[in-house]
Amino acid sequence: MIDYNHEMESAKRAAHLAGDMLRKHFGKELIVDARSAHDIKLKIDKQCQQIICDALATDFPDYCFLGEEGGKGGEIEWIIDPLDGTVNYYYGLPLFCVSIALRVHGVLQLGCVYAPMTGELYTALRGKQAMLNEQPIHVSPRRQMAQAIVFIGHGTHDRSGEAGIRRFAHISSQVCKVRILGSAALSLCYIAAGKLDAYVEQSIHLWDFAAAQVILESAGGRLEFTPHTSDALTGAVLAYNGLLPIHEALEPSS
Ligand code: IPD
């Protein structure tokens, strides 16, 4: 069986390099490349993607790249979001992360998520134990919605935002708390670590959740992805600890 330990070491190094850059510029004036009603693209996004690609390509020159800041992908591909939680970062909120996954012939094999402001490094190799800072983590044992904390993804455009707010309203009376965190990858890692219990988002990109999916599944959780596009780069995500009756708790149309 092929193991991906070398790839994991390389992904950790690359995540730390990009994370150091993000931390250095946190709270400083940032260059905005593009802006829409619910999204921001920063110059530092591209700079971090370059840092990550350069580091990974040094170790694995034949692997392809797919990510928020470009790349075409291939049979063996790094799937990268150099800055997940861009709006949080821009507004000075410390909830953001670097996200790196490796997908081989369509199967996600490795996930590495690094939150530089809190120093949390979440990692997992498919089929192995998920880790937070090299310590094993597991999803929560909660089975009842009344005890659960559920994350809603607001998304980056009006339609997914509206769906998110409808869900927020629908589910809030059934659960302990509802949260919108602003970083899908970090939200999924928090479920993996048993801090919180479920995540739903109507429209999200593969690079926002690929690394965290491996971590969540290796921690005992589940993630269901329903693609909206034929290339399966965008779709709906429902993730949870594998125990909650989350499907029943959502509106039939959501
Ligand atoms: C976004 C965040 C956000 C989610 C959006 C993503 P970005 O990623 O993960 O929480 O709701 O769908 O696009 O743009 O900050 O990398």
Side-chain angles (χ1 to χ4, degrees):
M1 206 175 110
I2 305 171
D3 77 53
Y4 294 97
N5 291 319
H6 286 124
E7 283 85 346
M8 177 60 91
E9 289 313 308
S10 193
K12 286 183 196 171
R13 268 197 304 278
H16 272 108
L17 286 173
D20 289 348
M21 167 93 167
L22 290 171
R23 197 173 42 241
K24 199 169 119 200
H25 290 270
F26 181 67
K28 309 249 166 76
E29 203 172 325
L30 296 160
I31 298 171
V32 176
D33 275 351
R35 196 175 197 140
S36 62
H38 305 296
D39 202 15
I40 282 178
K41 299 268 175 239
L42 300 174
K43 186 173 178 203
I44 201 164
D45 252 302
K46 289 202 182 107
Q47 292 169 326
C48 284
Q49 173 126 342
Q50 197 57 54
I51 287 172
I52 295 168
C53 291
D54 288 348
L56 296 173
T58 305
D59 294 342
F60 300 97
D62 300 331
Y63 292 10
C64 302
F65 293 100
L66 180 64
E68 171 147 7
E69 305 307 324
K72 280 205 317 268
E75 292 291 287
I76 305 183
E77 56 194 353
W78 295 106
I79 302 178
I80 297 164
D81 188 350
L83 171 52
D84 184 65
T86 312
V87 175
N88 283 353
Y89 182 73
Y90 183 67
Y91 280 81
L93 298 174
L95 295 168
F96 58 87
C97 58
V98 180
S99 174
I100 302 175
L102 181 71
R103 188 163 70 168
V104 181
H105 302 299
V107 180
L108 289 168
Q109 295 289 354
L110 163 171
C112 173
V113 170
Y114 179 51
M117 302 310 290
T118 54
E120 290 163 295
L121 177 70
Y122 293 90
T123 53
L125 292 165
R126 174 156 303 284
K128 301 257 175 72
Q129 178 64 53
M131 303 287 200
L132 164 55
N133 294 342
E134 312 299 338
Q135 295 301 313
I137 50 171
H138 204 271
V139 292
S140 75
R142 287 181 278 272
R143 290 175 179 272
Q144 289 166 15
M145 292 307 294
Q147 296 172 348
I149 300 190
V150 174
F151 285 119
I152 305 291
H154 183 279
T156 52
H157 56 79
D158 278 338
R159 278 226 324 273
S160 72
E162 283 157 16
I165 297 303
R166 273 202 312 278
R167 277 176 166 157
F168 197 111
H170 181 82
I171 212 163
S172 61
S173 60
Q174 305 173 56
V175 298
C176 176
K177 291 284 179 203
V178 191
R179 298 277 183 260
I180 296 180
L181 198 73
S183 163
L186 217 44
S187 304
L188 295 171
C189 287
Y190 287 168
I191 301 171
K195 300 175 206 265
L196 307 140
D197 307 294
Y199 184 83
V200 266
E201 181 157 354
Q202 179 63 24
S203 190
I204 184 168
H205 299 298
L206 175 67
W207 40 83
D208 292 316
F209 68 87
Q213 178 175 357
V214 186
I215 295 161
L216 175 64
E217 290 174 346
S218 303
R222 290 200 196 144
L223 185 144
E224 295 164 16
F225 176 56
T226 310
H228 298 327
T229 51
S230 54
D231 57 10
L233 291 184
T234 307
V237 158
L238 171 58
Y240 65 117
N241 65 354
L243 300 170
L244 287 175
I246 182 81
H247 300 86
E248 291 84 339
L250 292 171
E251 284 178 281
S253 57
S254 60

